[in-house]
Amino acid sequence: MTTLVSPQGASEVINARRTESLDAPSILKLVQPETENLFGLVNVVNLIEKAVLAVTLSNEKDEVLGHAAFFDYPNVASVDQSKWEDWLGAFFDCKNCTPLNTLFLHYFVAKREYSHGVAREIVRTMFNAVPEMHFCFLIVPNGAFPDSALANIFKPLDKLEGVKGPDNCVVFLCHRHNHVPVLHIRQARVEDHDDLTPIFNRQSDMLKMTYGDFFLAELIEAQDENMQCLIAEVEGTAIGFMSVCNIVNTGLLNECFELGPYHGLSKPHPDDELEAPKTPTPSPPTEPEQMSDDKPASGRSSATDRSTDSKQQESTMDDGRKDETEKTEEMKSEAGKSEVTGTASKVSQSVTGTADTETRVKPKLSEAALGESSSSLLSHGSDHGSQKSATSQDKPESAKSSRAAASPPAQSLSPKPVTPMIPKPRKRFVPKYKGESNAFCIQLFIIDERYEMRSVDFLPKAFEMFPDRDFCAMTVPHLVPEFPLLQKFMRATPRCPSILSQELYLFHGAGLLKDFRVRPACTSDSESVEKLVSSLDLHENLIADLQQFNKARRDDDGTEIQAYVATCNQKVVGIAVVRIEEDIEYIRSHYNIEDFIYYNHHRRDEHGHLYHFALNPAFAHFSKHFLKEILRQGHKTCLYYPVYPPFTSREVVGKHSLVSAMNDMVPVRPRRQITYPLEVLGSNAPSERVLQTKEQYSLCHINRKLTLEPKVVINARIVVVGASDTGVALLETFVFCPHLRFNNLTLISPHGLPGEMPPDEVRDQMMGTSHCYSQDEYTQTSLRTWVNVVYGKMTAIDRKKKNVVVNNSTLVPYDHLIICTGQQYQIPAPTEADISRLATSNEAPNSPDRWFRGTPPKNVFVVNDAYDAAVTLYWVENHLVNSPGKALVYGNCLDAYCCVQTLMSMGITGDRIILVEPPLNYQTTCFNNETVDAAVLKAMKDAGIEVYSGYLLAQWNDGKGGEEVITASFTSSTKPIRLECEAFFSYYKKKVDYEAFRAINDACLVFDGRLVIDASFHTNDVSIRGAGTITKFQRRYHADQWTHSNFNLKEVGIQLANTMLSLFDPTLESEREPPQEIVNLIPMYRSPKIQGGYLPGGYYYLHIGKPSLNVPLDVQMAQRDCGAEWITGTPGGTPDYFRLHMNQYKTVETVTCLSKQPIDTSNIICLYGLHERYLNDPAQRCVVYGSNDFYSYFRQPWCLAVYHDRFADFRDEVRELLVTRPADGVEALEEKVRQLIDEDLQMNDSQKKNLKNEFSTSRSKRAVETRLLSFLSYNYYHLPMYAKPGMV
């Protein structure tokens, strides 16, 4: 905050922030007559949209006092923005001005009485926000002269001797050193202690409490050839301190971080071990393991894991240091100071596991591109067991690590369900470096907050202290926010998982060079580029594109290619290839790019498609500048980069390679699409560019506004256990926060992220669906780009050390742990009732709800996810289909019925299928609809399926055991049955997995049938949260019947993420501890609970309902306030069955569909919560007009706008119009309605008529109509079937 004082003495406390487009009206109010003379007539919104930096000053009332827009090229129409250096250099002596350190002021306005202070503060803010900037130009037309506010800052630029100067403009220049000077750095002296102590005390008193009042003086006195102390000085006063040391435990760091690109922070040595030892060729599989060529093999995963003791060893620094130095090496500062790298640290060897139990790990793509791992755009990327560094190879990326074996299994593209092969995990290879250390570390760092943006000024002096070292290293605790100094460092990727409780940041001495330039590539660059990118995944595509660019500057089909190289000291250190984005209409219609840009302010040729981007890690802090230069020199404003799923073929990936700039880009949310009735729309359908079918991908984006906008970096280790809908929604919410970057998101799941397997209709039909996520949505979010995945089960939690144990062997440390494993179907445990004695279920000696703890029979299957379904269907296809045996399905849930239908789809006839239904858990069936129950039962009986209801599993093989189930015995309330089967599919009661229960219980987390949480998701450990079906609310809420199972689990996950964001997002109010609950109420959620599936009889089933308890439908409809239901069609009839239920407020509360034809699911879901007026009174049409087909009714063109993904926003806008007063002293329509209801509770016909007349004659009606036309017009590419004004 800064205070501005006007010449009249008035003062304003101001705040500097980035300009938003919503500021445009306020900015226009500040325009003076001289503004147009200086800058011309400009479109302010367009200016804000295209500026690389736009700054606004506002007061405490959020009133705009001033605004400035900065660009990276001059505002001279006759000057090509990509060649301004040549133009400026022709007239002026400005050889030190480069695109890296120069900006141009394109626009400035200010409130007149504060204009001088506003101009100074904006320029100061600009130089502070962009530390690399040293020059700012102001160019005005001839005959115009800056007003006094700007004239005091910008001075005329001296022309070259004998040069006239530009004809049409005058150039002024502002220097950094007049506003935010570069700090003077010198060696520390003991007398600096008095200046520095207050700075330390303001930020942390931990050092003083630990080491005494004079710790700083002792540290300065302890300087020697190995440890130096530096001071930043302003006007003779010390304002910053840095302690650097050249003793670094590079061995420890190499064990815990991916340091291959940096040659392990060591100097090259001939004995370096950079490649994994070659393994012998495996012997051929035995006969039972032989599989057909197009179907990989899979073994069933074991239910138990061998436990291995973790070994620990202590790694220490050189002990030959002075006592004082040893003392200072342990000093820490919480204000962004790193823990000394050399302090003794205990590192558990269990992170690597053992040869038998090593847990597979898949690092995220956004960091893999830096050469630190083997992640690939394709699932079958090459596996190189090498860790050669960028230094030794002169490449920006290292060769890929041997952890390629840890990537998820390659998937077959066969349309039939197949089982992916799981490669046996092998011990992770860690390179060994024998050379001397090539790094020094920052032990302690602090700086006055007023000067923290100049922290980077310490680095030249620090490297001067140790001229023989190339790297500066700094470690900081995970929970310390990333401060300005670290923004110039490269974050080393932890070996996944890493148990070192620090983040490692590195800076290469070459990064101090300011001769970083970007230019178009040329033929002579080819050899350097090939050397640079040889270890990059799909680098051959990059080389081919570069050759094509050098050959013709465009593709064979005429598409223009732009290739740029980044150079430093005339050496190529980066390469990028861009083409025009040909599918921008598809991108606009399928992705929410308008969250980041105003689409109409960007020409079609200003959208670029990034195909390749590689930059030497030593210059990673210039990555955004490289992108900014690509946009400027290529005359682009936006860049897009697609990330395809791992099963995508190499042909589809096409000419892309994995780029190293994804962390600088923002992920773009996909948009829900309307299912169009094309046969009805005809020529009124959207264009082919919108409707075209393409391979799905996730989208990354950057535009000019984002190139100088840093993200808030979150290093907190957030570990999510379970890839349930809740867990995926949580991760998705974190990932799609555009201003945040979570570096340590980790998912623990036995089969990794969902959606990683290729689409398979039969496999997906084997289970019901909640419609929280579809295969396309998993692909379009691509969490694998941003989330590390640990394949395995949580087997223990160490709350004291904050570690999760996976597969009894691997430690995954956490700062925040979220348990959302959900509940799964388990191998059923027979009750061991003796049916030979005609025992009933009540006489069973054991509970049917026990956990099964033995070795499961080979032909007993439980299906909990797509991977289990693939394994099961592979066995069915290769064993059951071709044998005469029967399949027994045990369960009465939706998934059991889906399994029955899937077995029939695989070719197993109904007379070979047995369905045994256990007694109902609740009063209702899984459908809670007698019509659907009857239709499904009839379809099964018509197919010849044997159905037994009310039975519990008693014995397998008459209690004699065996590797396979041959017979299964069941008891009921009457007589038992004994059935023969060749395969047993269990869908009996979902419950908490045993390993999860044991881990939770042994960690002393409260478990009461489920994990107990409060209304804010907290368990009894403040660092551990729970969500989803594994949880229940504390008993103090007196709501035992309500759990997260009753709600939409995706909404639960989003709410959990929003609750946690207050811990990380500086724009939100921080939550230091769980808030006090005033009333003990559980949270309620509004999204509908949805279930669907493919049922016996070939029925497509969809049910959408309000979150509620399990109450029989007839009981619900018997209540007075239940509303009314309308039903059209019958199951299997013409039309098909469609039930629409509206509550007493005439809004849609329940929809049930049962159809032989595929259902437009995404459209029908949109009906939930809509008032009947939005739907043209379907109930009235059903009764009065005899409309008997809701399927056809809701496929009519008039209702397509209701299905639009932005229709909910439109409804909110309309509501806002009706609740906002049209003028001061005039009541809003909502206020009038509330007054009438408060008086009489219900309005009579006369009152309703008066309200309608008043609304029709008011400005509100016109405003609503205007907003509706704007909605249709802006989204016309999706909704061309609606007529616009002037068309009729």
Side-chain angles (χ1 to χ4, degrees), residues 9 273 371 444 536 637 640 716 894 966 1094 1166:
E273 299 176 13
L444 191 61
L536 188 68
T637 58
Y640 306 92
L894 175 63
I966 301 174
Y1094 188 48
C1166 297

Side-chain angles (χ1 to χ4, degrees), residues 6 179 299 364 754 888 921:
S6 69
H179 301 273
K364 56 184 179 179
L888 193 155
N921 297 333

Side-chain angles (χ1 to χ4, degrees), residues 963-1039:
E963 293 186 352
E964 294 187 355
V965 172
I966 301 174
T967 64
S969 304
F970 298 86
T971 58
S972 67
S973 58
T974 55
K975 62 179 182 179
I977 56 173
R978 181 176 179 275
L979 303 171
E980 294 183 355
C981 63
E982 188 169 338
F984 190 104
F985 303 90
S986 176
Y987 292 92
Y988 177 77
K989 282 187 186 179
K990 285 187 175 182
K991 57 184 177 181
V992 177
D993 180 74
Y994 177 75
E995 280 81 4
F997 157 74
R998 188 179 62 181
I1000 293 169
N1001 190 62
D1002 291 351
C1004 296
L1005 297 175
V1006 179
F1007 191 91
D1008 182 12
R1010 302 187 189 189
L1011 177 63
V1012 176
I1013 60 172
D1014 63 14
S1016 300
F1017 304 97
H1018 291 96
T1019 64
N1020 55 306
D1021 187 320
V1022 71
S1023 299
I1024 302 178
R1025 292 170 173 82
T1029 57
I1030 193 176
T1031 63
K1032 64 175 293 186
F1033 293 111
Q1034 296 172 355
R1035 290 181 180 265
R1036 64 188 174 94
Y1037 294 106
H1038 302 287

Side-chain angles (χ1 to χ4, degrees), residues 66-88:
H67 160 78
F70 298 92
F71 283 67
D72 52 353
Y73 57 85
N75 53 333
V76 180
S78 60
V79 178
D80 187 333
Q81 67 183 45
S82 64
K83 300 177 180 178
W84 67 261
E85 290 177 273
D86 298 336
W87 173 79
L88 206 59

Side-chain angles (χ1 to χ4, degrees), residues 361-417:
V361 176
K362 182 182 179 183
K364 56 184 179 179
L365 285 181
S366 58
E367 290 184 346
L370 294 177
E372 292 151 346
S373 74
S374 59
S375 290
S376 165
L377 282 172
L378 303 172
S379 62
H380 48 275
S382 302
D383 177 14
H384 300 281
S386 173
Q387 280 286 353
K388 295 183 179 178
S389 69
T391 305
S392 62
Q393 294 184 333
D394 196 22
K395 301 169 186 172
E397 283 82 24
S398 75
K400 303 169 187 63
S401 132
S402 62
R403 283 188 296 116
S407 61
Q411 319 294 349
S412 168
L413 296 178
S414 168
K416 293 186 178 181

Side-chain angles (χ1 to χ4, degrees), residues 766-826:
M766 194 170 188
M767 297 182 65
T769 174
S770 64
H771 289 286
C772 290
Y773 290 95
S774 65
Q775 175 75 31
D776 286 349
E777 288 173 318
Y778 285 129
T779 298
Q780 290 172 326
T781 53
S782 186
L783 292 180
R784 74 186 185 116
T785 307
W786 315 101
V787 178
N788 300 304
V789 180
V790 179
Y791 290 77
K793 280 188 175 184
M794 173 181 71
T795 52
I797 302 172
D798 187 337
R799 290 171 53 189
K800 184 176 181 180
K801 296 181 179 179
K802 288 193 171 183
N803 288 324
V804 176
V805 182
V806 180
N807 293 346
N808 294 317
S809 63
T810 301
L811 297 183
V812 180
Y814 68 86
D815 297 306
H816 300 277
L817 177 63
I818 299 96
I819 301 175
C820 46
T821 58
Q823 295 182 317
Q824 295 81 33
Y825 298 112
Q826 307 291 332

